[in-house]
Amino acid sequence: LYARLVGEDGSLMPAPETWAGTDLRLPGDLAGATYRNMLTGEKGAIEERDGEALLPAGDLLRSFPVALLEVES
C-alpha cells in the first residue's frame, strides 16, 4: 500500500492529491476550532461542512505522515 502512495519523484511523502476527498471526521463541537500539530508545529482550522466537523487529510499530512493534534480553541 505505501509503495502506491510514494510520489513519482521518489519522495517518501505522498503527493497532496493522494488525499483528495479524504477527511477525518471529528466530534461536531470541534467545528471551527483551531489545532496545532505537536509534531510539526503547523496550525490549522477544523472545517464545518454539512453540519460535520472535518479535517482534510491533505492539510493534516502535508509535511509529515503522522500527526498528533492539540485543539487550541
Side-chain angles (χ1 to χ4, degrees), residues 3 8 11 13 15 17 20 26-27 32-33 35 38-41 47-50 53 55 61 63 68-69 71:
E8 290 181 13
S11 168
M13 290 300 300
E17 58 271 9
L26 302 170
Y35 68 86
M38 297 177 70
L39 300 176
T40 65
E47 298 178 8
E48 180 177 354
R49 274 188 265 140
D50 299 323
L55 189 53
L61 304 172
S63 62
L68 177 61
L69 304 180
V71 174

Side-chain angles (χ1 to χ4, degrees), residues 41-70:
E42 295 172 322
K43 295 183 178 189
I46 299 170
E47 298 178 8
E48 180 177 354
R49 274 188 265 140
D50 299 323
E52 294 186 295
L54 301 172
L55 189 53
D59 292 348
L60 185 60
L61 304 172
R62 78 175 133 244
S63 62
F64 198 68
V66 178
L68 177 61
L69 304 180
E70 173 182 47

